[in-house]
């Protein structure tokens, strides 16, 4: 296929066999000698059919009053892949009585494929097809990629190993938590957040990301400075806002950085990151702070504190080429420190935007008890319900797990089985249920 560079809008509809001139039509030495059917199918890297791919056929038809006076007109036909990912065209085969005519290559048509949701890197793409009377052509199955590199990042923690999770938790998170010094605010100036505080905060961020299977990030000087100013604005105003008015100091940097940062009040340093990951409160059903920290596209962040106020800059330009897992759950599948269990506010997200969660359900079970989890938020894009904003480049569900299901006694391990059902691709193809198990245990000393 040849890559093109355009996207057009279309609604989801069943594909149709699009017919043109009937056999026997003649005009100016041209005649229709038969028909040919062209069909193909699109699936993704999971083998799921992809509805809603637009196939545009650049065709030709016999016409007495053609634009160029040669009895041949160009026409454009469109079909949309159905719930099975398939489209079909019926094309007329045309013959010329004059083999020397400039249009003697009558039976080569062009197909252009577009993804109206802009999910797949492989599209747009084009190809040319030569048709023959009475010979149908199944072009086969085209496999599309929703991300450049699918999988867990090399820096991931092996969550199937209790020993490795415990070691990483103690070294990379628990040992980093301490009473941090609060940077002083002096008028419109804020003291620098110490290098030690930033180092310990970064360790916590990357521990969370490694548990989820996404790559590590670094803090940059520029983003640290912006985060400090965002924290200073929150301190000056005395409340948290992503769109603050800095009446006192008129800092455009602080106000702008606030809209690109996780904001908090209270915990400083590594403990602050656990606070974001818990994402408690009625305003945080979407667990947006958590999702930004676990954003698979992110490479750089920044952190700054002002008094007890904090800002974690999370919306720097990222890369779609980062290694990206298909799903991101929190708590993560496998062994998980109960010390970081987010008080029942669990989440499960896919890293692609064209899935429909409107009919999704979540069931949880442990120690002989099974319950349907209460879904508190459904995200999505055009095909989903609930919020439509891009939070950490993930789309899915937040749900509440009852305390009786997730309780850990002593040094025992509580295995919580989670089953997510009812998710569909673009509202058409229903995905098989996803089941994973979270093994909660006390990882601290």
């Amino acid at each position: 296929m040849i890559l093109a560079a355009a996207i057009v809008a279309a609604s989801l509809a069943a594909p149709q066999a699009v017919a043109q001139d009937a056999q026997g039509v003649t005009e100016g030495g041209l005649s229709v000698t038969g028909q040919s059917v062209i069909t193909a199918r699109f699936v993704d890297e999971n083998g799921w059919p992809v509805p809603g791919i637009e196939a545009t056929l650049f065709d030709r038809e016999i016409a007495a009053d053609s634009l160029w006076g040669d009895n041949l007109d160009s026409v454009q036909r469109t079909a949309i892949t159905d719930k099975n990912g398939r489209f079909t065209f019926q094309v007329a085969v045309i013959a010329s009585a004059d083999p020397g005519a400039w249009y003697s290559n009558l039976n080569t048509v062009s197909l252009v494929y577009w993804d109206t949701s802009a999910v797949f890197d492989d599209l747009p793409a084009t190809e040319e097809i030569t048709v023959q009377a009475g010979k149908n052509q199944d072009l086969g199955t085209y496999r599309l990629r929703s991300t450049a590199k699918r999988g867990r990042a090399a820096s991931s923690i092996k969550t199937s190993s209790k020993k490795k999770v415990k070691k990483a938790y103690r070294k990379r998170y628990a040992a980093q938590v301490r009473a941090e010094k609060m940077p002083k605010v002096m008028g419109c100036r804020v003291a620098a957040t110490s290098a030690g505080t930033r180092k310990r905060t970064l360790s916590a961020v990357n521990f969370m990301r490694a548990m989820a299977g996404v790559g590590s990030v670094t803090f940059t000087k520029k983003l640290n400075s912006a985060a400090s100013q965002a924290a200073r604005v929150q301190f000056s105003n005395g409340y948290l806002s992503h769109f603050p008015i800095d009446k006192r100091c008129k800092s455009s940097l602080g106000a702008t950085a606030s809209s690109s940062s996780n904001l908090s009040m209270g915990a400083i340093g590594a403990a602050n990151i656990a606070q974001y990951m818990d994402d408690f409160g009625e305003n945080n059903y979407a667990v947006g702070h958590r999702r930004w920290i676990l954003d698979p596209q992110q490479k750089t962040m920044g952190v700054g504190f002002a008094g007890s106020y904090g800002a974690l800059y999370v919306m720097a330009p990222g890369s779609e080429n980062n290694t990206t897992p298909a799903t991101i759950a929190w708590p993560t599948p496998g062994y998980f420190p109960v010390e970081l269990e987010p008080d029942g506010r669990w989440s499960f997200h896919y890293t692609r935007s064209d899935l429909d969660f409107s009919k999704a359900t979540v069931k949880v079970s442990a120690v002989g008890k099974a319950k349907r989890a209460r879904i508190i938020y459904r995200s999505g894009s055009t095909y989903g319900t609930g919020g439509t904003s891009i939070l950490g480049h993930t789309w899915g569900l937040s749900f509440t797990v009852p305390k009786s299901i997730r309780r850990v006694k002593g040094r025992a391990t509580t295995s919580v089985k989670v089953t997510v059902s009812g998710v569909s691709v673009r509202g058409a193809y229903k995905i098989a249920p996803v089941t994973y198990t979270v093994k909660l245990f006390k990882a601290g000393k």
Side-chain angles (χ1 to χ4, degrees):
M1 294 188 182
I2 304 170
L3 292 180
I7 295 174
V8 296
S11 59
L12 186 63
Q16 299 179 352
V18 184
Q20 54 145 299
D21 302 316
Q23 187 170 345
V25 172
T26 61
E27 188 71 43
L30 300 177
S31 63
V32 175
T33 60
Q35 303 287 329
S36 178
V37 174
I38 299 174
T39 186
R41 184 169 181 260
F42 287 89
V43 300
D44 64 14
E45 61 263 72
N46 303 299
W48 301 338
V50 183
I53 298 297
E54 182 175 299
T56 301
L57 177 73
F58 292 90
D59 200 0
R60 64 283 174 276
E61 65 181 3
I62 297 173
D65 55 351
S66 68
L67 179 64
W68 306 108
D70 56 11
N71 305 121
L72 194 66
D73 267 353
S74 296
V75 293
Q76 181 176 320
R77 310 175 195 278
T78 298
I80 308 295
T81 57
D82 62 11
K83 67 179 181 179
N84 297 311
R86 183 171 292 281
F87 72 86
T88 302
F89 284 106
Q90 184 171 316
V91 183
V93 178
I94 301 174
S96 171
D98 180 7
W102 70 269
Y103 50 70
S104 59
N105 187 22
L106 289 168
N107 293 310
T108 297
V109 297
S110 296
L111 278 168
V112 179
Y113 307 117
W114 321 85
D115 177 21
T116 58
S117 298
V119 169
F120 297 102
D121 296 335
D122 314 76
L123 301 179
T126 66
E127 65 178 330
E128 291 189 342
I129 308 296
T130 299
V131 295
Q132 299 178 37
K135 184 177 180 180
N136 298 332
Q137 295 192 60
D138 187 337
L139 305 179
T141 299
Y142 297 134
R143 188 173 293 271
L144 303 175
R145 302 173 303 161
S146 61
T147 189
K149 298 178 183 178
R150 177 67 73 202
R152 287 174 64 84
S155 57
S156 300
I157 295 169
K158 189 177 181 180
T159 57
S160 60
S161 169
K162 184 176 183 179
K163 181 179 180 180
K164 290 184 177 180
V165 171
K166 180 188 292 186
K167 181 180 179 180
Y169 168 79
R170 292 182 177 182
K171 180 180 180 180
R172 300 173 61 179
Y173 175 73
Q176 309 303 319
V177 177
R178 63 191 63 187
E180 301 281 3
K181 183 179 179 181
M182 294 188 296
K184 292 183 179 181
V185 178
M186 300 152 286
C188 293
R189 294 178 57 247
V190 58
T193 299
S194 73
T197 299
R198 284 189 169 126
K199 182 179 179 180
R200 289 183 286 272
T201 305
L202 180 61
S203 179
V205 167
N206 283 330
F207 169 75
M208 307 298 180
R209 291 175 64 86
M211 286 291 292
V214 297
S216 298
V217 297
T218 58
F219 286 168
T220 69
K221 183 177 180 180
K222 180 180 179 180
L223 297 183
N224 284 339
S225 177
S228 290
Q229 288 301 312
R232 200 274 310 154
V233 174
Q234 312 305 311
F235 178 94
S236 296
N237 288 347
Y239 58 88
L240 300 178
S241 172
H242 287 295
F243 305 99
I245 298 175
D246 191 5
K247 295 181 179 179
R248 181 176 182 181
C249 302
K250 312 296 183 182
S251 169
S252 59
L253 175 59
T256 302
S258 295
S259 65
S260 298
S261 301
N262 285 352
L263 304 174
S264 66
M265 180 179 63
I268 298 176
N272 179 235
I273 303 306
Q275 187 180 57
Y276 288 135
M277 296 301 291
D278 285 348
D279 243 350
F280 55 83
E282 294 183 358
N283 293 330
N284 294 319
Y285 284 161
V287 295
H289 303 93
R290 179 188 301 171
R291 289 160 68 185
W292 280 118
I293 288 174
L294 301 180
D295 181 0
Q297 295 189 15
Q298 202 52 257
K299 286 180 172 291
T300 58
M301 294 183 184
V303 73
F305 297 94
S308 62
Y309 289 82
L312 180 70
Y313 197 110
V314 291
M315 295 177 65
S319 173
E320 295 181 355
N321 293 321
N322 289 354
T323 301
T324 303
T327 60
I328 296 177
W330 194 264
T332 56
Y335 288 98
F336 189 89
V338 72
E339 293 89 342
L340 294 177
E341 192 280 310
D343 199 24
R345 183 164 291 184
W346 293 25
S347 57
F348 177 83
H349 292 90
Y350 285 91
T351 52
R352 55 186 281 185
S353 62
D354 62 338
L355 303 183
D356 184 351
F357 303 95
S358 61
K359 297 180 180 179
T361 60
V362 180
K363 290 183 179 180
V364 293
S365 61
V367 292
K369 300 176 182 178
K371 294 187 177 182
R372 174 175 284 193
R374 182 171 71 92
I375 294 176
I376 58 176
Y377 189 86
R378 304 172 191 265
S379 68
S381 60
T382 307
Y383 300 95
T385 60
T388 58
S389 59
I390 300 175
L391 296 172
H393 300 96
T394 58
W395 295 262
L397 307 163
S398 307
F399 52 96
T400 301
V401 177
K403 192 172 183 178
S404 60
I405 295 286
R406 52 187 169 84
R407 183 180 291 114
V408 175
K409 295 182 179 180
R411 290 292 171 179
T413 297
T414 297
S415 295
V416 181
K417 183 179 179 181
V418 181
T419 300
V420 180
S421 306
V423 181
S424 64
V425 180
R426 306 187 176 193
Y429 175 78
K430 193 172 181 179
I431 299 171
V434 175
T435 298
Y436 62 95
T437 300
V438 177
K439 299 178 180 180
L440 298 171
F441 75 105
K442 291 184 179 179
K445 296 181 180 179

